[in-house]
Amino acid sequence: MTTLQKTALITGANKGIGKETARRLAALGITVLIGARDADRGEAAAEELRAGGADVRFVPLDVTDESSVEAAAKHIEATFGRLDILVNNAAIAAAQQKPSETPAATVRQVYETNVFGVIAVTHAMLPLLRRSPAARIVNMSSELGSLTHLADPDSPWASYSSVLLPYCTSKTALNAITVLYADELRAEGILVNAVSPGYCATDLNRRSGTRTAEEGAAVAVDLATVGEDGPTGAFLTEDGPIPW
């Protein structure tokens, strides 16, 4: 089955920035699939967003489980025939530790979601994205993934980056992944970008952020719906490019 209605999949979308991205895309008339590990929370988020008349549906999806990822891809293919927008939003962080005190197991755990999960989902969804006339992939990164910022002791992010090795380096890796996918898919008209929502108050940072999830979602929505003349292989905030 193939529909004319645009369809978007957002990973980790049962709360926070992912949920607000879903809300905004749905308000544009896009069918939004909320990917989440927890079925109860995923269904609750979808039900909440449907209350306003939007077409929002829950899809079970654990980005660290390849069988779950493949099942989600098969469900989307059977139901919609293609995918127009993929927002790789699911991410985790670890307890704050100095780099010298951070065990490899902790880094590996964060990478399973923030890096390998993105690759697994993108790989599984790419055949469906290739069926779209204007596919978009948005990877939710962070300014903490900027090597320029990490190398600057006077950066406003310095106090955070010095104790968040797993998270920071996972986002640096995600930026590289974004560039490489963008380079391969450019000729096919599939635009791939990394965005930073800013320091938003979410469960990831125990709601210590200075921005709202609604504000953070704006840049993801912009890049998910950008026209064919939009950027690809870029690292952006709502104010413009971020130094790599």
Side-chain angles (χ1 to χ4, degrees), residues 2-243:
T2 301
T3 65
L4 296 177
Q5 177 81 12
K6 276 192 175 183
T7 303
L9 170 65
I10 307 171
T11 66
N14 61 290
K15 60 182 179 179
I17 297 169
K19 181 179 172 183
E20 293 308 320
T21 301
R23 189 191 306 277
R24 289 193 174 210
L25 288 176
L28 297 175
I30 297 168
T31 295
V32 177
L33 309 178
I34 286 182
R37 292 178 298 178
D38 188 299
D40 291 339
R41 293 178 180 178
E43 289 283 11
E47 183 177 356
E48 176 191 330
L49 298 183
R50 280 197 301 269
D55 187 3
V56 180
R57 313 180 195 189
F58 165 64
V59 174
L61 179 57
D62 179 349
V63 303
T64 67
D65 182 340
E66 290 200 18
S67 63
S68 173
V69 173
E70 291 299 330
K74 289 179 180 178
H75 170 74
I76 294 169
E77 180 177 27
T79 307
F80 303 101
R82 72 165 195 259
L83 185 65
D84 300 283
I85 297 166
L86 171 61
V87 180
N88 286 306
N89 169 75
I92 64 172
Q96 295 187 7
Q97 292 177 296
K98 294 178 181 178
S100 61
E101 298 172 352
T102 304
T106 300
V107 180
R108 189 174 294 113
Q109 181 182 27
V110 171
Y111 272 50
E112 283 293 340
T113 296
N114 298 10
V115 179
F116 304 133
V118 171
I119 294 173
V121 171
T122 303
H123 181 77
M125 301 301 163
L126 198 50
L128 301 177
L129 289 161
R130 282 181 160 132
R131 297 177 188 174
S132 170
R136 304 289 180 260
I137 300 174
V138 180
N139 293 328
M140 198 69 74
S141 187
S142 168
E143 290 187 67
L144 289 173
S146 164
L147 289 175
T148 300
H149 289 336
L150 294 180
D152 181 3
D154 296 322
S155 165
W157 302 100
S159 62
Y160 302 101
S161 60
S162 63
V163 291
L164 292 172
L165 183 151
Y167 184 79
C168 293
T169 60
S170 75
K171 294 304 183 180
T172 304
L174 178 60
N175 290 346
I177 290 166
T178 300
V179 170
L180 295 176
Y181 271 115
D183 184 58
E184 177 185 353
L185 300 174
R186 182 179 285 106
E188 299 178 50
I190 300 176
L191 307 186
V192 188
N193 291 289
V195 301
S196 173
Y199 188 33
C200 300
T202 66
D203 289 352
L204 191 71
N205 56 37
R206 299 179 182 177
R207 302 200 168 274
S208 61
T210 56
R211 288 164 55 84
T212 65
E214 293 88 344
E215 291 171 327
V219 65
V221 173
D222 287 346
L223 271 296
T225 57
V226 72
E228 62 181 13
D229 58 345
T232 192
F235 182 24
L236 303 159
T237 68
E238 59 189 8
D239 296 322
I242 304 169

